[in-house]
Amino acid sequence: MSTKGRVLIVDDDPDFVKTVKMVLLADGYEVSVANEGRKGLELVLEYKPDLILLDIMMESIFEGFSFLGVLRTAPEYEELKSTPVLMVSSVKADTGSRFTFDDGEDMGDAPEPDGYMDKPLKPKDLLDRVAALIRR
Amino acid sequence: MEPPKILVIDDEEISRISCERILRRLGVRVQLAATGRAGLDILMREPHDLVLVDFKMPEMDGMEVTRRIREFDPEIVTIVITGYATIESAVTVMKEGAYDYLPKPFTPDELLIVVKRGLEKRRLDQESKALREEKEAMERNFVTLVSHQLRSPLSAVYQYIEVLLSSIAGELNAAQQEMLERIRERLDGLLQLTNDWLDMSRIQAGEIVNRLKADSVMECVKSALSALELAAQQRQIKIDVQIPGDLPPVHLDRDTLREALSNLISNAIKYNRIGGEVRIRAEERDDWVVVECEDTGFGVDEKEIPFIFDQFYRGKAREVREQQGTGLGLAIVHRIVRAHGGKIEVRSQPGKGSTFSVYLNRAKDNGSSGQPEHVAMKAL
């Protein structure tokens, strides 16, 4: 089976997951889903996705960042640590109301995702970003 | 959870060993040190929950050890064992920050009671500290959390509509398509409203004052404009920017000032006639740098001018009502400009256009650090 690539969605909002999954499947991607960070990390090892679509706020408000921290630094993820990560959140980026990113004390040296998008995602924008990140 | 760690500092080997033997019954980890200095070295390397220290030791006595522990980490619970248990010595060590003292000789039960109580205090301290930190984090991120709670459901609904409109879930007929597009438009308005409202609560004058830096207005105008190009194209609005290159820097906070300018320019585009013009100028006037945004739009009725900066106020004119808006844009601008220690003026002629002038504090010539004190005064 040839697909455009494998995408892992890590998000706890079932409606978000469902709609994004439909968009990605319709465009020829394979999709796998985890509804929390820990399960997502297990799936990364198992599924070896070409891209991870990662929500920031799940059970805890920085869960996405913890996920990313483990992925980028833990020894068992050595081979997979450069998997592109597209972070999404419904907390708007450009209003600055999204956390206190420039507050070093708060975020420490939080790992950087490869891309960031505000929810709601428009299907075309999403597909463009996903394609660009996988091609890279 | 890890068992608590206790450090016993005593120069007499026999006391150290017997303390250790008794304390093991509590299921704790025990380390021993024969001198105050050795004990402090252990504490530096490895955090402990509780320290039992003998009062009378050569070199560094129990009092000195207690003092140094408090300096190093006041959260460590220190219990002093004292051979000559006078009230004075007890009071003295408590003053130095010891949590309790235990007179020699003591029975195993007496030791256990004091230590258990000390560990309990330590546990409660740690718990309340963790709760306090959590509460502070919640407060710090309050706007973020509210934003998340409000926007998440809207985003989910929005995405369903997007998926339906993209025909992934099947073809729509024209009427369905039109209705969904209308739903999406209304939802856009609602998302915009939550953003604006959250901006209002985010813009705390005090915080902006702390972030003011001497900086160029031009950069803010540029970044505000870049996000508005599309909107201007859609209404065929020509944007003319005239900002002299030698304009002095002003005390500004880039993020919020850009937002204020963006709201003004966006209004100038939105409430303009198709094919109209927006002119952005800046100049030095006394101690101010004035940024002006002039449009060729519907204008504001003189009677309405006192109200346009109020939250949720929207112009009465039909042309204004036809455009989607939240009534918060100018209120946000006003708040941001005030927090910058500046002021805003409006001149308008119905049918011809409006000019909004933003007055910002010119930074002193000697450069980038600025002296925000006087700005803070004005912002109050």
Side-chain angles (χ1 to χ4, degrees):
Chain A
M1 194 172 70
S2 94
T3 63
K4 285 191 177 176
R6 282 195 299 257
V7 179
L8 170 64
I9 305 173
V10 185
D11 197 310
D12 62 346
D13 182 332
D15 293 307
F16 175 84
V17 168
K18 185 170 176 183
T19 45
V20 168
K21 193 172 170 181
M22 284 176 83
V23 170
L24 291 171
L25 288 174
D27 204 54
Y29 291 93
E30 241 181 88
V31 178
S32 181
V33 175
N35 59 9
E36 44 129 358
R38 201 165 35 84
K39 184 87 183 104
L41 283 169
E42 283 169 31
L43 271 180
V44 172
L45 292 175
E46 214 173 286
Y47 185 67
K48 301 194 173 35
D50 300 304
L51 178 124
I52 301 167
L53 198 71
L54 176 65
D55 188 25
I56 297 179
M57 275 203 209
M58 289 179 273
E59 184 64 30
S60 74
I61 58 175
F62 296 125
E63 191 161 334
F65 287 104
S66 320
F67 176 107
L68 195 55
V70 174
L71 177 71
R72 297 282 202 246
T73 56
E76 62 265 44
Y77 290 92
E78 184 57 32
E79 279 173 36
L80 298 159
K81 71 174 179 192
S82 49
T83 310
V85 173
L86 180 55
M87 235 179 202
V88 292
S89 177
S90 52
V91 182
K92 218 168 148 32
D94 63 2
T95 61
S97 54
R98 184 178 51 142
F99 315 108
T100 38
F101 269 136
D102 21 318
D103 183 348
E105 197 187 318
D106 225 37
M107 296 305 300
D109 27 36
E112 290 266 333
D114 300 271
Y116 178 83
M117 287 180 91
D118 286 321
K119 291 180 184 179
L121 308 178
K122 309 221 174 196
K124 189 181 171 307
D125 297 347
L126 170 67
L127 292 173
D128 287 350
R129 290 293 286 276
V130 168
L133 283 171
I134 288 185
R135 219 180 301 123
R136 213 175 58 176
Chain B
M1 220 175 74
E2 275 190 33
K5 281 193 236 169
I6 296 180
L7 174 66
V8 179
I9 309 175
D10 198 323
D11 57 326
E12 286 170 49
E13 192 179 8
I14 191 94
S15 317
R16 287 201 300 273
I17 306 273
S18 55
C19 273
E20 182 183 22
R21 202 169 294 149
I22 299 165
L23 291 172
R24 290 237 186 257
R25 294 189 215 160
L26 292 173
V28 298
R29 286 187 46 199
V30 182
Q31 282 213 45
L32 305 176
T35 66
R37 196 161 301 281
L40 290 172
D41 279 349
I42 291 176
L43 284 182
M44 300 275 187
R45 281 198 309 272
E46 204 183 328
H48 279 70
D49 298 287
L50 186 143
V51 178
L52 266 177
V53 58
D54 188 23
F55 186 81
K56 191 162 175 279
M57 290 189 293
E59 264 186 87
M60 194 190 289
D61 66 8
M63 180 127 73
E64 181 62 17
V65 173
T66 304
R67 190 180 302 139
R68 295 205 183 186
I69 290 175
R70 190 179 58 175
E71 273 167 25
F72 167 65
D73 179 359
E75 285 169 24
I76 297 175
V77 173
T78 310
I79 295 169
V80 179
I81 300 167
T82 139
Y84 35 90
T86 62
I87 295 291
E88 288 91 76
S89 64
V91 167
T92 321
V93 292
M94 300 291 270
K95 267 193 193 152
E96 288 302 335
Y99 167 69
D100 207 348
Y101 70 98
L102 189 62
K104 271 184 192 172
F106 50 81
T107 66
D109 280 343
E110 281 164 352
L111 174 66
L112 289 174
I113 286 169
V114 172
V115 167
K116 269 192 209 159
R117 206 169 56 208
L119 287 175
E120 181 65 9
K121 170 182 159 35
R122 166 82 176 171
R123 191 181 62 80
L124 290 173
D125 281 355
Q126 299 283 307
E127 273 179 18
S128 66
K129 186 179 165 208
L131 286 173
R132 196 166 53 242
E133 280 167 2
E134 197 179 315
K135 180 169 160 278
E136 279 164 8
M138 295 277 283
E139 280 168 1
R140 243 192 339 268
N141 291 302
F142 177 74
V143 174
T144 303
L145 291 168
V146 174
S147 164
H148 186 256
Q149 298 306 332
L150 283 173
R151 290 181 53 94
S152 291
L154 292 178
S155 298
V157 174
Y158 199 95
Q159 281 191 196
Y160 273 117
I161 295 167
E162 287 284 352
V163 169
L164 288 172
L165 282 170
S166 66
S167 305
I168 291 171
E171 290 301 321
L172 302 170
N173 67 36
Q176 291 166 336
Q177 175 104 16
E178 201 191 315
M179 281 190 247
L180 279 171
E181 275 166 9
R182 196 70 199 118
I183 295 173
R184 180 170 60 181
E185 223 170 280
R186 297 304 298 264
L187 207 51
D188 266 329
L190 195 48
L191 279 166
Q192 187 58 48
L193 179 65
T194 55
N195 290 344
D196 284 356
W197 180 76
L198 288 163
D199 278 349
M200 286 293 286
S201 39
R202 181 172 64 89
I203 298 158
Q204 302 290 341
E207 285 174 29
I208 292 181
V209 168
N210 290 333
R211 289 199 300 261
L212 293 180
K213 277 199 297 243
D215 203 342
S216 129
V217 170
M218 190 61 196
E219 289 308 311
C220 286
V221 174
K222 269 193 204 157
S223 72
L225 277 174
S226 67
L228 293 167
E229 271 168 24
L230 187 66
Q233 271 170 32
Q234 280 169 350
R235 296 184 67 86
Q236 295 150 42
I237 307 281
K238 183 173 163 285
I239 298 186
D240 176 59
V241 182
Q242 284 187 18
I243 298 184
D246 58 351
L247 198 69
V250 299
H251 289 298
L252 63 85
D253 166 53
R254 269 198 194 195
D255 277 351
T256 51
L257 187 65
R258 184 204 48 164
E259 198 179 325
L261 295 173
S262 163
N263 283 1
L264 285 179
I265 302 168
S266 154
N267 279 354
I269 294 168
K270 196 157 89 171
Y271 301 114
N272 213 321
R273 58 182 160 80
I274 302 287
E277 225 181 299
V278 174
R279 283 183 287 272
I280 299 161
R281 293 180 298 265
E283 61 172 17
E284 200 177 341
R285 244 180 254 169
D286 305 325
D287 276 347
W288 304 100
V289 166
V290 185
V291 185
E292 288 191 330
C293 177
E294 182 183 356
D295 65 57
T296 54
F298 328 127
V300 187
D301 194 306
E302 205 180 330
K303 291 195 293 295
E304 289 196 272
I305 287 184
F307 306 108
I308 56 174
F309 294 105
D310 289 354
Q311 288 185 43
F312 299 109
Y313 184 83
R314 293 209 68 204
K316 299 283 177 257
R318 183 180 48 81
E319 296 92 331
V320 174
R321 291 296 162 114
E322 274 170 4
Q323 300 292 328
Q324 198 153 157
T326 62
L328 285 171
L330 285 178
I332 292 172
V333 173
H334 190 233
R335 205 178 260 208
I336 292 172
V337 172
R338 283 279 301 277
H340 276 74
K343 59 179 178 177
I344 184 161
E345 284 174 5
V346 193
R347 286 181 314 248
S348 188
Q349 268 186 292
K352 292 216 171 147
S354 314
T355 304
F356 287 80
S357 309
V358 175
Y359 288 71
L360 297 163
N361 284 288
R362 186 163 57 88
K364 295 285 166 272
D365 298 329
N366 59 359
S368 56
S369 67
Q371 295 293 321
E373 279 82 356
H374 74 285
V375 181
M377 291 300 291
K378 284 183 193 165
L380 288 175

